[in-house]
Amino acid sequence: MPLHEHLRHPLSRRGFLATGTVAAGTALGLAAGPARAATRPRPFGRYGSPAARLTPLTLYVDPRGRGDFTTVQAAVTAATGAGYTLVIAPGVYRETVTVGVTDPATGQLSDAASEMTWLGASENPRAVVIVYDNANGTRKPDGSGTYGTSGSATTLIRTDGFTARRITFANDWLRADHPDITGTQAVAIKVQGDRSAFFDCHFLGHQDTLYADSSALGVFARQYYARCYVEGDVDFVFGRATAVYDHCHFRTLDRTDLATAPYGFVFAPSTAVANPRGYLVTRSRVSSQAPRGYYKLARPWVPGSDTTAHPMLTVRDTVLGAGIDAVAPYTNMSDTYPWQSQRFAEYRNTGPGAAISVPENRPQLSAGQAESVTPEVYLGDWRPGRR
């Protein structure tokens, strides 16, 4: 299915495969070329052009060669200082991208590329797609082993002050295409920087789609996701960041490789024990392609690298669809760290997946407690631009 057809259909990568028109390994239908909008004479819309730059620190990316660069990574590499803006024309960018490098002299993260902004030139985030297909168990071309979960990320953000608007970040690796690989985590984006903001962006994957994390155990990275769409099946929003998901849509996918529930888990926070704030989901919704009750809302992730982690998730004022198991919405990732011992809570959720039939399975905030569980409190002195 050409990408422009994707704009008229629900955001499901499995839906693309169902058409039978996509070659193996191109699950998103992305090999068909750039979106229809890329044929317009002004690929950068209202954001100027190389001949009429918005600012001296504005760089233009277009797969058809009408910008400064044809790949996103080339533009990032050229942004040698802070405060650059990348305007990205509609199209499919099949590449991996890393923002932020480690200074070889100090071992510290360089300030290069900090305070960077990416603007999707189309008003439709599905017209600008950054996608690749590495998984945890994918072997590296140089024979040095496999990528691992973090290494599978299509996009890696390792710098502070990053902002993206109207862009789709995707990983189109599929289990069905690789039955020999057991490490099936395939990250669309890993975000480690503080003050990272995403507005009207889409995140497409299956297992471990959106890795909202920090650069180190003792670093508390604040992240803000507004009006975003995220889809997946297993732990597809996970990590140790202090992350606010505001007016977002989370979509759980159907699975043909499993016969029984659960198919997966929406959230898997791994909040550091010293961090008073983990994941906050507010004014959002969770929908599903799967049968009723086949998904858990969350499970706590206590990674081997931090066995002191105390995962934290609050879901409030959110519509939980029928795909969520209302009777037992939480489960353990390891019985050593039961979910009941973690910092899980809800407040004023609605929808069939929010029905409270077993109160002890659905810890609720009081009205007084809820007053301090807001985006403003979680983000502290940072107010991400909301235009």
Side-chain angles (χ1 to χ4, degrees):
M1 182 186 294
L3 186 61
H4 64 260
E5 288 298 309
H6 172 36
L7 309 186
R8 303 187 188 128
H9 293 272
L11 283 176
S12 168
R13 299 188 307 148
R14 292 176 185 263
F16 291 116
L17 292 177
T19 67
T21 62
V22 181
T26 58
L28 272 167
L30 302 176
R36 179 180 294 166
T39 63
R40 295 173 182 170
R42 297 179 59 201
F44 305 108
R46 57 192 170 96
Y47 297 111
S49 68
R53 294 184 194 276
L54 294 183
T55 71
L57 296 183
T58 302
L59 301 176
Y60 295 87
V61 186
D62 175 53
R64 296 190 174 190
R66 294 169 292 182
D68 301 305
F69 305 94
T70 58
T71 69
V72 178
Q73 185 62 68
V76 170
T77 301
T80 55
Y84 274 84
T85 294
L86 271 56
V87 179
I88 307 174
V92 176
Y93 299 85
R94 180 161 285 276
E95 58 176 308
T96 59
V97 184
T98 298
V99 179
V101 296
T102 301
D103 186 328
T106 64
Q108 301 297 313
L109 198 64
S110 170
D111 288 336
S114 64
E115 310 302 326
M116 177 177 278
T117 297
W118 293 4
L119 301 176
S122 172
E123 296 304 310
N124 190 330
R126 287 172 281 178
V128 179
V129 182
I130 303 171
V131 59
Y132 210 72
D133 60 347
N134 285 328
N136 178 332
T138 302
R139 293 203 167 276
K140 297 179 181 178
D142 62 5
S144 61
T146 59
Y147 283 99
T149 298
S150 292
S152 74
T154 297
T155 301
L156 173 61
I157 308 300
R158 304 181 64 229
T159 189
D160 294 338
F162 179 85
T163 299
R165 297 180 183 273
R166 299 179 303 278
I167 295 172
T168 291
F169 300 89
N171 189 317
D172 63 353
W173 188 92
L174 284 176
R175 300 181 187 96
D177 294 338
H178 306 276
D180 57 316
I181 292 180
T182 57
T184 57
Q185 299 88 345
V187 178
I189 187 170
K190 181 174 183 177
V191 185
Q192 295 181 294
D194 185 37
R195 294 178 292 104
S196 299
F198 296 82
F199 299 90
D200 303 291
C201 288
H202 294 163
F203 305 92
L204 309 183
H206 280 271
Q207 183 171 354
D208 293 8
T209 304
L210 171 55
Y211 196 168
D213 204 49
S214 70
S215 59
L217 178 58
V219 176
F220 301 161
R222 295 164 296 175
Q223 300 173 15
Y224 181 69
Y225 300 82
R227 304 179 303 275
C228 291
Y229 173 92
V230 193
E231 72 174 25
D233 51 34
V234 177
D235 304 330
F236 63 94
V237 182
F238 73 115
R240 67 179 170 226
T242 293
V244 174
Y245 306 93
D246 191 358
H247 286 94
C248 291
H249 179 191
F250 304 91
R251 179 79 164 165
T252 63
L253 299 176
D254 200 1
R255 296 184 66 171
T256 59
D257 57 320
L258 294 179
T260 59
Y263 277 0
F265 322 88
V266 182
F267 303 100
S270 58
T271 322
V273 66
N275 192 346
R277 299 179 183 92
Y279 284 3
L280 170 61
V281 180
T282 181
R283 298 173 291 189
S284 297
R285 67 181 174 121
V286 179
S287 66
S288 183
Q289 294 178 352
R292 187 182 188 96
Y294 266 52
Y295 272 86
K296 302 292 186 180
L297 184 60
R299 62 178 182 172
W301 177 33
V302 179
S305 59
D306 178 21
T307 57
T308 67
H310 196 193
M312 183 177 189
L313 166 71
T314 298
V315 181
R316 62 170 299 170
D317 302 295
T318 289
V319 179
L320 304 181
I324 297 299
D325 180 354
V327 175
Y330 307 104
T331 190
N332 300 337
M333 187 175 293
S334 167
D335 290 343
T336 305
Y337 308 101
W339 74 263
Q340 293 90 341
S341 300
Q342 312 309 323
R343 295 176 284 179
F344 284 4
E346 300 180 51
Y347 183 67
R348 293 195 315 199
N349 294 324
T350 58
I356 301 175
S357 58
V358 183
E360 59 267 32
N361 286 348
R362 309 212 67 149
Q364 302 289 312
L365 296 178
S366 67
Q369 291 172 323
E371 291 180 359
S372 62
V373 184
T374 65
E376 292 74 19
V377 170
Y378 271 53
L379 300 179
D381 61 359
W382 173 48
R383 292 291 179 266
R386 287 172 167 80
R387 73 175 185 270

